[in-house]
């Protein structure tokens, strides 16, 4: 069976083929990425991908950056509304599964190897093992902030879907309070995503300039990161705030889920900020949890550097959903709403 797998965010849509008879089903040479703005619908983008490769799809798994409810999902940071029947009609198959993009990132954990992750801090990862009970968290900034989890129970893996990126930001330092006040004037309620995401880095830069009475320039997240590395004071402060907020949120997620086996940092922003995450306060904020600081010091925080982790996880989900005998039935999914299958 050949399955189209997709990882759709607020900016880009990635597609690939998975062949479920293979032990490693994701076909890396089939990966394509398109700007979401180039297509009116996700179905149009998927059809373009198949036509470009001259492929067919027996089934599809769409990992989408938004809440999945029944047979549809609204991309949080993009106007696409994705409906399983429309995808199926465009691809010529009724077998279409919609999952949250961070359910796919969670599923990917079981397929990651040592060279697919970089430890942030001194605590390493012993690797994945389904023979013991484990709980992992996954959090990642991109156009938005994705949050999920992976539960390993009795040899099976269950992805936990959440919209935790929209939980409220909790300041823990005086500079965090000043930042929160700036963002409250701009947005009212301030979610974690308003700080820890690509646009969030811009928000932090603007807040730094506002607090210091400086004139802000119209900089992109990439420009802020580049200028920070070159010594720009305001951009450095923005990156520092970003890394500390990210670490604090990741630590809170570990406490919330009981993810003592580790938290994986995913998303497109993470590989670009590896040096900053190692040196600019992420781990300190991650561990600064009062009476649980000693426990947090033993929890791995792992940056995912695999180029296609979302697609990897979607392929793992496809292997379970469409019951490939070559791979076996080792995955599951936990969600509050049914999803189209």
């Amino acid at each position: 069976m050949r399955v189209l797998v997709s990882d759709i965010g607020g900016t880009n849509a990635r597609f690939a083929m998975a062949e479920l008879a293979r032990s490693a089903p994701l076909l890396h040479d089939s990966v394509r990425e398109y700007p979401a703005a180039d297509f009116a619908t996700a179905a149009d983008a998927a059809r373009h991908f198949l036509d470009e490769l001259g492929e067919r799809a027996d089934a599809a798994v769409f990992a989408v950056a938004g809440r999945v409810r029944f047979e549809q999902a609204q991309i949080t940071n993009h106007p696409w509304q994705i409906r399983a029947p429309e995808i199926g009609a465009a691809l010529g198959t009724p077998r279409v599964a919609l999952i949250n993009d961070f359910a796919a990132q969670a599923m990917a954990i079981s397929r990651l190897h040592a060279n697919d992750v970089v430890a942030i801090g001194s605590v390493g990862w012993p690797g994945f093992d389904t023979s013991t009970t484990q709980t992992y968290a996954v959090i990642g900034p991109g156009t938005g902030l994705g949050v999920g989890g992976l539960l390993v129970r009795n040899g099976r893996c269950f992805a936990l879907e959440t919209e935790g990126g929209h939980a409220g930001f909790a300041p823990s330092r005086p500079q965090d309070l000043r930042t929160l006040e700036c963002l409250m004037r701009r947005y009212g309620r301030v979610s974690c995503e308003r700080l820890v995401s690509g646009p969030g880095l811009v928000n932090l830069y603007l807040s730094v300039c506002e607090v210091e009475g400086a004139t802000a320039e119209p900089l992109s997240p990439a420009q802020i990161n580049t200028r920070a590395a070159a010594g720009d004071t305001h951009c450095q402060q923005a990156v520092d705030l970003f890394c500390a907020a990210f670490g604090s949120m990741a630590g809170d997620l570990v406490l919330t889920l009981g993810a003592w086996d580790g938290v994986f940092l995913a998303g497109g922003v993470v590989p670009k900020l590896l040096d900053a995450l190692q040196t600019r306060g992420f781990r300190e904020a991650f561990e600064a949890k009062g009476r649980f600081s000693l426990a947090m010091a033993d929890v791995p925080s792992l940056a995912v550097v695999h180029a296609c982790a979302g697609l990897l996880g979607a392929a793992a989900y496809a292997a379970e959903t469409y019951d490939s005998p070559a791979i076996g039935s080792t995955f599951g999914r936990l969600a509050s709403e049914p999803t189209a299958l």
Side-chain angles (χ1 to χ4, degrees), residues 3-123:
V3 180
L4 182 151
V5 293
S6 180
D7 181 17
I8 298 179
T11 303
N12 296 310
R14 280 185 165 184
F15 296 92
M17 297 302 299
E19 191 173 303
L20 300 193
R22 294 162 51 100
S23 59
L26 182 65
L27 303 179
H28 287 273
D29 60 355
S30 70
V31 174
R32 299 290 186 276
E33 180 175 289
Y34 309 108
D38 287 356
F39 300 91
T41 68
D44 290 342
R47 187 68 259 171
H48 175 82
F49 165 77
L50 290 178
D51 291 344
E52 187 176 274
L53 268 66
E55 277 282 2
R56 61 171 177 79
D58 300 308
V61 174
F62 276 61
V64 300
R67 183 188 178 200
V68 177
R69 181 175 171 82
F70 302 113
E71 293 190 312
Q72 63 182 12
Q74 174 69 54
I75 303 299
T76 304
N77 292 297
H78 190 272
W80 276 358
Q81 187 171 58
I82 299 177
R83 297 181 176 87
E86 292 179 3
I87 299 293
L91 304 185
T93 175
R95 290 180 288 192
V96 177
L98 303 184
I99 63 174
N100 179 267
D101 61 335
F102 268 71
Q105 293 286 351
M107 285 291 200
I109 292 171
S110 65
R111 304 294 178 106
L112 295 174
H113 301 293
N115 60 349
D116 294 324
V117 299
V118 174
I120 304 300
S122 60
V123 185

Side-chain angles (χ1 to χ4, degrees), residues 209-280:
C209 291
E210 181 179 333
V211 168
E212 298 202 353
T215 300
E217 299 180 56
L219 301 179
S220 69
Q223 289 171 323
I224 293 170
N225 191 36
T226 298
R227 288 199 181 190
D232 182 290
T233 302
H234 296 130
C235 291
Q236 284 180 338
Q237 289 182 56
V239 171
D240 288 347
L241 287 168
F242 181 98
C243 291
F246 192 10
S248 183
M249 292 170 196
D252 286 346
L253 183 59
V254 167
L255 294 174
T256 301
L257 296 183
W260 305 115
D261 296 290
V263 58
F264 287 80
L265 315 178
V269 171
V270 168
K272 301 171 185 176
L273 288 175
L274 276 180
D275 290 343
L277 291 172
Q278 293 282 21
T279 61
R280 292 187 175 273

Side-chain angles (χ1 to χ4, degrees), residues 25 41 43 75 97 103 112 125 129 150 156 166 181 189 219 245 249 257 271 281 317 327 337:
T41 68
I75 303 299
L112 295 174
W125 181 45
D129 181 6
L150 186 73
R156 290 176 58 85
H166 298 282
E181 289 171 353
R189 179 183 182 272
L219 301 179
M249 292 170 196
L257 296 183
Y317 182 84
I327 296 186
E337 305 285 355

